[in-house]
Amino acid sequence: GDRSPVRRFNLNNVTITPDPIENQEVVLILTPMARFYQEYWDNLLNLDYPHELISLGFILPKNKEGNAATAALQAQVTKVQKGPLKNRFRSVVIERQDFDSPITSQDEGERHKMENQKVRRSSMSRARNSLLFTTLGVETSWVLWLDADIVETPPSLIQDLAAHDKPLIVPNCYQRYTDPETGKLAERPYDFNSWQDSPTAQEIAAKMDPDDIILEGYREMATYRSLMAYMADQGDEQHIEVPLDGVGGTALLVKADVHRDGAMFPPFPFYNLIETEGFAKMAKRLGWAATGLPNYKVYHYNE
Ligand code: GDP
Ligand code: MN
């Protein structure tokens, strides 16, 4: 049939509401992926948000490990997209980075060394921005950032977070491990990038070179920020909210309008902050505040 030469979209018709399933809102799940974990994929498939409303976007580094991860991911995507209709996603994009990753190893110890952080997180920012700017569509209502090593979330993650109706919202990222003393399964905080600012951190920043970054979770740099990681309590109030100044990106739900307004992941020190923490700062400058859910947990892979 005839096709109009111009496709018109009224962004006012793309709703972003606390009831995204009822309103048929499209969610873009974005994952930077250095390694493929089957547990991540199984958890993703288990999300009970209608898959026809979920678009997936991945970006992988162009190195040997990235090649292996791409092959594994591609195989799983093919299987799902050719399988039963109800499991199929709306669309899937797999991208390879067009810039080199820093040569630092992907091992947890090496990754987390303080002197590696600026280069590593700058590179992560570029990967996230590249993925975001190539996949954010006119129909996207929500962007869920989900790291490739998040192996366990509630199946209702998307609708649970969206129900809070916040521009940026982060669950608390923990890690399961076996306690060497008791031999029992236990859990500990993993992501320290979700925090409330402190006067000390502000003073550190004030004295810093604008090209330096403040890092969280390092003994050498005591910031006295309040970390969401430590705000979890035993209560059953899963939906308690706390205001945040910095956010981690292991799992992070963002209203697409926040990104459309121009908030991205600064690959350079922005107010002495970088990547996801810089993103929260930039969003705030645009008038969008971040919220955390200390008692709502998602779990990071344990290497
Ligand atoms: P950490 O958990 O804070 O130590 O950070 P990760 O190393 O797990 O990185 C965060 C996310 O980015 C994970 O999903 C990784 O698989 C992914 N990732 C790590 N390095 C790279 C990279 O160089 N390129 C891309 N595209 N993704 C990466
Ligand atoms: Mn990780």
Side-chain angles (χ1 to χ4, degrees):
D2 280 346
R3 210 168 146 206
S4 162
V6 178
R7 291 168 74 206
R8 291 171 47 135
F9 292 92
N10 188 344
L11 286 175
N12 291 334
N13 295 337
V14 178
T15 62
I16 307 178
T17 68
D19 194 354
I21 296 182
E22 173 68 24
N23 295 310
Q24 298 271 297
E25 291 168 5
V26 172
V27 180
L28 175 62
I29 301 185
L30 295 181
T31 300
M33 179 179 280
R35 293 174 176 172
F36 178 84
Y37 292 116
Q38 190 61 43
E39 295 90 333
Y40 158 87
W41 186 253
D42 293 343
N43 184 71
L44 183 72
L45 291 189
N46 228 4
L47 293 180
D48 59 17
Y49 198 84
H51 285 197
E52 77 262 17
L53 293 173
I54 298 180
S55 291
L56 302 177
F58 301 90
I59 188 163
L60 300 93
K62 228 173 26 188
N63 53 27
K64 202 167 157 216
E65 219 178 19
N67 293 347
T70 305
L73 173 64
Q74 190 110 38
Q76 295 300 324
V77 167
T78 305
K79 198 158 92 187
V80 170
Q81 296 305 83
K82 287 186 172 165
L85 266 180
K86 75 164 191 12
N87 293 341
R88 290 188 203 173
F89 293 101
R90 181 179 198 84
S91 65
V92 184
V93 174
I94 301 177
E95 300 174 8
R96 300 302 297 274
Q97 260 165 237
D98 59 356
F99 58 90
D100 290 328
S101 295
I103 46 248
T104 57
S105 141
Q106 285 293 344
D107 292 329
E108 193 173 317
E110 190 63 26
R111 238 168 47 212
H112 291 170
K113 275 191 188 156
M114 200 167 174
E115 65 268 23
N116 290 338
Q117 289 313 298
K118 196 165 140 188
V119 170
R120 203 179 86 78
R121 298 199 56 197
S122 169
S123 166
M124 282 306 309
S125 297
R126 296 182 66 198
R128 290 187 192 279
N129 289 335
S130 184
L131 180 59
L132 174 64
F133 291 130
T134 50
T135 56
L136 188 71
V138 284
E139 60 172 20
T140 313
S141 291
W142 301 88
V143 177
L144 175 68
W145 290 95
L146 189 64
D147 275 358
D149 42 23
I150 292 303
V151 291
E152 184 187 335
T153 71
S156 50
L157 176 72
I158 295 171
Q159 46 294 25
D160 289 351
L161 298 182
H164 287 264
D165 198 18
K166 299 293 183 193
L168 289 73
I169 192 160
V170 229
N172 215 349
C173 180
Y174 268 56
Q175 184 177 52
R176 295 195 191 278
Y177 72 106
T178 308
D179 188 325
E181 267 162 33
T182 61
K184 287 206 179 111
L185 199 61
E187 59 177 44
R188 59 190 170 208
Y190 182 85
D191 189 348
F192 299 109
N193 292 340
S194 295
W195 43 258
Q196 297 172 337
D197 213 353
S198 68
T200 308
Q202 304 238 310
E203 279 160 31
I204 296 174
K207 290 184 192 131
M208 256 184 177
D209 188 280
D211 275 342
D212 286 338
I213 53 171
I214 311 184
L215 294 165
E216 195 48 70
Y218 293 85
R219 213 164 266 136
E220 307 91 304
M221 201 185 271
T223 63
Y224 300 97
R225 288 167 174 158
S226 305
L227 307 185
M228 181 167 75
Y230 300 126
M231 293 178 194
D233 63 35
Q234 302 310 310
D236 50 9
E237 265 296 312
Q238 222 194 358
H239 288 282
I240 279 186
E241 300 175 353
V242 297
L244 294 176
D245 299 300
V247 300
T250 54
L252 164 65
L253 186 72
V254 182
K255 289 187 177 179
D257 281 352
V258 175
H259 285 311
R260 278 196 275 264
D261 268 3
M264 47 71 161
F265 302 91
F268 46 82
F270 176 75
Y271 291 81
N272 304 102
L273 301 169
I274 201 163
E275 210 212 350
T276 55
E277 295 160 291
F279 166 62
K281 183 74 178 178
M282 199 178 291
K284 190 160 248 180
R285 296 297 322 254
L286 286 161
W288 304 102
T291 303
L293 300 180
N295 282 346
Y296 192 100
K297 288 180 186 154
V298 301
Y299 293 89
H300 189 278
Y301 187 81
N302 188 349
E303 294 172 31

